[in-house]
Amino acid sequence: MRQLLLDLGTEPTLTLEDFVAGSNCELLQRLQRLAEGDKGLPDERSVYLWGSPGVGKTHLLQAVASMAGGRYLRPESSLRDFMFEPDTALYLIDDCERLSPALQMAAFALFNQAREHGACLLAAGAAAPATLNVREDLRTRLGWGLIYQVHGLSDEEKLDALAYAAQARGITLPTGVLPYLITHCQRDLNSLLSILDALDSYSLETQRPITLPLLRSLLQRNSETKP
């Protein structure tokens, strides 16, 4: 399975509407309410998402942060970024298992302060809190509120989502292109959509209609540019 090196320009702003729900309808509804400012009950103000890479955890956190004006935090953020501020009502921590020891301590303190002041905290990691590789006190805090596993899409759901995206973009796809796409490329939906956009651009660049041979040519060209 190849990993494409595609330069598609500026990343578009992620939204919850762009996220294909699949089996995550309940989670999406809760995040929509959170993004709209509905904090819910005290025990619902802390939400933890977990799932394997590529299921969309980062998409969801960044979408909520953008919609609600929350502070998005990740392992590359500074200690200062993890400091609680009373005028910030929502904090979002991504890739919790990758936080440094110092940032894990800062995240633990942030959880306590957010809870004390009625702020909301949305976090995400690769595993459920009980088995996440972080310090024990932070693991306990991550399990305080609502916990959702983010489920990946089935192949059929990916095909439906890609077909809908192609139709919305005005792209005509012959039979065989999408099944080939999901079996020969990165399988998360965002990557597949990026490849679909690249295929459309490649078709315009080469003045050739989109066909299975054109897709193979694009994949080959990008595999040859890998460092």
Side-chain angles (χ1 to χ4, degrees), residues 40-62:
L41 299 173
D43 287 344
E44 298 175 340
R45 293 172 189 170
S46 170
V47 181
Y48 178 76
L49 315 181
W50 68 277
S52 57
V55 296
K57 301 185 299 295
T58 294
H59 180 135
L60 292 171
L61 263 65
Q62 291 184 351

Side-chain angles (χ1 to χ4, degrees), residues 64-195:
V64 173
S66 176
M67 296 170 66
R71 186 185 300 176
Y72 176 70
L73 303 166
R74 53 201 302 260
E76 293 75 20
S77 301
S78 68
L79 277 171
R80 180 178 293 275
D81 292 332
F82 277 76
M83 293 181 62
F84 178 81
E85 295 180 358
D87 59 349
T88 300
L90 174 64
Y91 297 86
L92 308 98
I93 307 177
D94 206 355
D95 293 326
C96 288
E97 73 281 357
R98 293 179 47 234
L99 296 176
S100 67
L103 289 182
Q104 288 184 37
M105 292 179 62
F108 170 73
L110 181 58
F111 262 93
N112 291 336
Q113 291 172 304
R115 186 179 181 91
E116 179 183 350
H117 291 85
C120 295
L121 205 149
L122 174 60
T131 58
L132 196 67
N133 186 25
V134 294
R135 52 186 289 159
E136 180 61 32
D137 53 7
L138 178 57
R139 187 184 302 118
T140 300
R141 295 300 182 271
L142 292 171
W144 263 358
L146 301 176
I147 300 173
Y148 292 94
Q149 180 179 2
V150 184
H151 299 280
L153 298 177
S154 67
D155 285 351
E156 291 75 14
E157 288 169 333
K158 290 176 185 176
L159 288 171
D160 288 343
L162 289 168
Y164 177 82
Q167 182 180 24
R169 290 162 168 79
I171 301 173
T172 301
L173 297 175
T175 303
V177 167
L178 291 183
Y180 188 90
L181 192 63
I182 69 170
T183 55
H184 289 78
C185 304
Q186 285 180 266
R187 295 176 63 81
D188 64 281
L189 187 58
N190 282 341
S191 294
L192 292 169
L193 289 171
S194 294
I195 299 166

